[in-house]
Amino acid sequence: MSHLFEHHGAPGQGYSQPAPVMKAADIPLPTALLRKDLPRWPRLSEPEMVRHYTWLSRRNFGIDTGFYPLGSCTMKHNPRVNEVIAQLPGIADIHPHQPEHHLQGLLSIYHEMQYMLEVCAGMDQVTLQPVAGAQGEFTAVRCIQEYFRLRGETQRTKVIVPDSAHGTNPASAAMCGFEIVEIPSRVDGRIDLDALRAVADDTIAVMMITNPNTLGLFEKDILEASSIVHSVGGQMYYDGANFNAILGITSPGLMGFDAVHFNLHKTFSQPHGGGGPGSGPIGVKAHLAEFLPGPLVEKRTPVGDESKHAIDGAWYGWYEPEHSIGKVQQWHGNAGAIIRCWAYYRRYGSGLRTMSEHAVLNANYLRHAIHKATKKAGVDHMVVDGAEAVVAKHEFTLSLGPAKEAFGISAMDVAKGLLDMGYMAPTVYFPLVVPECMMIEPTETESLDTLDTFATHFAEVLQVDAETLHAAPITTPVRRVDEVYAARNLCLRHPFDE
Ligand SMILES: *Cc1c(COP(=O)(O)O)cnc(C)c1O
């Protein structure tokens, strides 16, 4: 693969800069900080530069180039109008240090967003500060830890997570210093209440769980689970990554949770993937609100001069909660992501319920379509459902265990075969409780035609012989990589000839 630094280009430089106003000698910089050599900038003309980046972008795969059924990650279409709104100068050009009376418009948006998320989650207070779901988890668990510390309940050193949990749940709890207690799922993929009762005592601080769970199944016993944890004085934490299944239909508040995070980049509208950028606000019940990281936005009656800048008679101001755990992010969270999601919510309003209904419908339709297509192709014995469930929510799991056993075709092989068909592969090997797991989430933004075609292609991949599939992908810019080697031997900078 050719690299910018490998272009030697024409002598001279491909850019021009205005002459410096001051001479280097006039600037009192410590000599230790001055460059000894010229920077190794590649010498490229503008067209070479444009071609390089366009070429790179064409080697990429994204939701804008094809179907992206990556389970758990909710990769949906991001309406472009939200980009336009997030880039309006009144929003994009403000500085976080501007005084409140300059920021009334932005603050009113933040306030509305806090309120909207409170309503969706059935919580009393939201902070928009965390910039990822995982950071939201950490923040909320820290708030709960502080709540117990102030109550003198320091014997609560454990956090319960089901074995189907997303890896960030135990990781966030461990980062706060908690011990992880894992409880098994039942054969139908749901939490085992007896196992929960067996570990529930006054050393439990929190139970972290997502609902629908990572198998795409609704935890029907969630109220019972909440009451078991509450009966020993513990708190319930809702991993909100699966909000796309329940928005406007039910809420973590109704299910007995005390704290939740949103992944705005999954549920609402924010291009993501490759690690960012995201937004992971958290919502809590009133008893946890004083621990949230600030600043939060409040709406109140303007006082004195404030009324000159007030919007519809209201004043919006920052405030710090009394026992705040401190900031978890600079400034006020990932403003661009928050604005895009606010624009999305303003566009759909109560229609967000329909969004969730369509997400669930699409997932169930695709699940049936895959079964129908594999049956028609005579390969349905190679796939089984990941749990014995009949009704999935916004995502579902398949097990390629039978294909592995009979033909040596793994979930990874099928995933790589799908890349050659022009798709992003579904999530594989998660959740861990399903052997050779493939987790599929089509989202509400895909058409019937896309779903049908994908199901047909899925059955086609299963008909490819094992040897060919082991060699897949053959059409992508990079062939099959050794992922373990790549993860253990990170190489993040260009190896210049020193
Ligand atoms: C994506 C996800 C997370 C973590 O969210 P990030 O925004 O990627 O940090 C946590 N739990 C579940 C179930 C998820 O799908």
Side-chain angles (χ1 to χ4, degrees):
M1 174 174 147
S2 122
H3 193 283
L4 259 190
F5 291 95
E6 283 152 18
H7 292 277
H8 295 292
Q13 45 193 26
Y15 60 91
S16 60
Q17 283 184 332
V21 186
M22 295 174 81
K23 289 197 195 69
D26 300 336
I27 308 168
L29 281 178
T31 36
L33 296 181
L34 294 178
R35 279 186 181 282
K36 292 182 189 57
D37 305 306
L38 285 176
R40 279 178 295 206
W41 283 326
R43 285 177 173 171
L44 293 173
S45 64
E46 185 169 317
E48 284 173 312
M49 191 83 171
V50 170
R51 278 182 208 136
H52 175 78
Y53 283 112
T54 307
W55 172 77
L56 272 186
S57 76
R58 285 164 63 174
R59 291 163 62 89
N60 230 337
F61 188 92
I63 183 80
D64 293 344
T65 40
F67 183 39
Y68 208 122
L70 194 65
S72 202
C73 295
T74 316
M75 299 297 281
K76 58 165 85 172
H77 172 68
N78 295 282
R80 293 305 187 268
V81 63
N82 303 332
E83 299 299 322
V84 178
I85 292 167
Q87 283 164 30
L88 290 175
I91 288 171
D93 292 348
I94 50 187
H95 190 279
H97 261 335
Q98 277 176 252
E100 280 178 357
H101 69 271
H102 285 183
L103 297 177
Q104 287 302 298
L106 182 82
L107 290 180
S108 72
I109 291 178
Y110 262 53
H111 186 267
E112 194 167 301
M113 195 65 187
Q114 283 176 196
Y115 178 69
M116 187 285 274
L117 295 176
E118 283 154 25
V119 172
C120 291
M123 294 288 135
D124 298 316
Q125 184 63 58
V126 158
T127 173
L128 300 173
Q129 211 180 77
V131 295
Q135 198 184 24
E137 292 171 26
F138 170 78
T139 308
V141 173
R142 275 287 298 118
C143 290
I144 293 172
Q145 191 172 37
E146 212 42 30
Y147 165 77
F148 282 131
R149 199 178 63 81
L150 275 196
R151 289 166 62 96
E153 298 182 45
T154 46
Q155 84 287 359
R156 296 190 184 273
T157 53
K158 297 180 192 159
V159 170
I160 302 175
V161 294
D163 58 2
S164 63
H166 193 268
T168 52
N169 293 182
S172 303
M175 275 178 67
C176 295
F178 284 110
E179 186 188 322
I180 312 303
V181 181
E182 187 178 287
I183 55 163
S185 308
R186 295 189 317 226
V187 277
D188 70 354
R190 295 185 170 87
I191 31 170
D192 184 335
L193 288 180
D194 291 331
L196 176 58
R197 278 189 202 97
V199 297
D201 60 25
D202 73 352
T203 63
I204 300 300
V206 193
M207 173 167 189
M208 301 178 83
I209 187 169
T210 181
N211 193 21
N213 65 25
T214 54
L215 291 155
L217 305 175
F218 196 81
E219 298 280 4
K220 289 185 228 156
D221 294 331
I222 196 67
L223 286 176
E224 183 59 20
S226 292
S227 91
I228 293 170
V229 173
H230 284 147
S231 73
V232 295
Q235 297 281 291
M236 288 292 282
Y237 180 77
Y238 182 89
D239 174 337
N242 294 336
F243 250 112
N244 219 39
I246 64 155
L247 220 57
I249 300 166
T250 181
S251 78
L254 288 174
M255 298 179 216
F257 285 89
D258 303 285
V260 342
H261 81 252
F262 284 87
N263 303 67
L264 292 189
H265 45 289
K266 294 180 182 173
T267 311
F268 295 88
S269 174
Q270 165 66 27
H272 63 116
S279 181
I282 63 170
V284 295
K285 285 283 176 64
H287 63 282
L288 295 171
E290 61 183 302
F291 304 101
L292 289 174
L296 303 177
V297 180
E298 66 176 351
K299 181 180 181 181
R300 57 171 171 77
T301 316
V303 188
D305 266 3
E306 289 174 357
S307 49
K308 281 196 251 160
H309 306 279
I311 298 177
D312 296 336
W315 177 262
Y316 298 90
W318 299 117
Y319 74 96
E320 289 290 333
E322 192 185 348
H323 296 290
S324 173
I325 59 161
K327 288 177 87 67
V328 294
Q329 188 65 27
Q330 73 275 34
W331 308 119
H332 315 117
N334 195 349
I338 292 163
I339 301 294
R340 286 185 192 93
C341 296
W342 170 81
Y344 182 82
Y345 134 74
R346 277 299 226 158
R347 167 67 183 79
Y348 291 104
S350 59
L352 289 175
R353 183 191 170 113
T354 319
M355 170 194 96
S356 282
E357 286 168 352
H358 284 187
V360 172
L361 182 63
N362 271 7
N364 281 278
Y365 180 87
L366 183 57
R367 181 171 156 268
H368 284 283
I370 287 178
H371 282 295
K372 222 167 90 188
T374 50
K375 196 176 173 101
K376 193 165 154 212
V379 287
D380 60 326
H381 57 292
M382 294 168 75
V383 216
V384 293
D385 271 329
E388 286 169 24
V390 238
V391 186
K393 287 290 177 254
H394 64 305
E395 62 193 357
F396 60 96
T397 53
L398 298 173
S399 169
L400 273 298
K404 176 87 192 246
E405 228 163 83
F407 308 100
I409 295 174
S410 66
M412 187 61 86
D413 293 330
V414 176
K416 300 296 184 194
L418 285 169
L419 298 184
D420 280 335
M421 292 282 197
Y423 297 106
M424 175 68 193
T427 298
V428 286
Y429 300 105
F430 174 72
L432 303 173
V433 290
V434 177
E436 294 300 321
C437 186
M438 194 163 255
M439 185 186 203
I440 301 176
E441 178 177 6
T443 84
E444 73 283 1
T445 57
E446 298 300 333
S447 69
L448 206 54
D449 189 39
T450 303
L451 302 183
D452 283 334
T453 314
F454 178 75
T456 310
H457 284 159
F458 191 93
E460 273 174 33
V461 170
L462 288 181
Q463 295 167 68
V464 175
D465 65 279
E467 205 181 319
T468 312
L469 269 190
H470 292 328
I474 54 168
T475 58
T476 49
V478 177
R479 302 277 301 266
R480 200 179 288 213
V481 289
D482 184 340
E483 285 162 8
V484 177
Y485 182 85
R488 302 227 165 121
N489 300 281
L490 279 186
C491 170
L492 301 175
R493 75 184 267 281
H494 184 66
F496 287 107
D497 307 326
E498 301 295 345

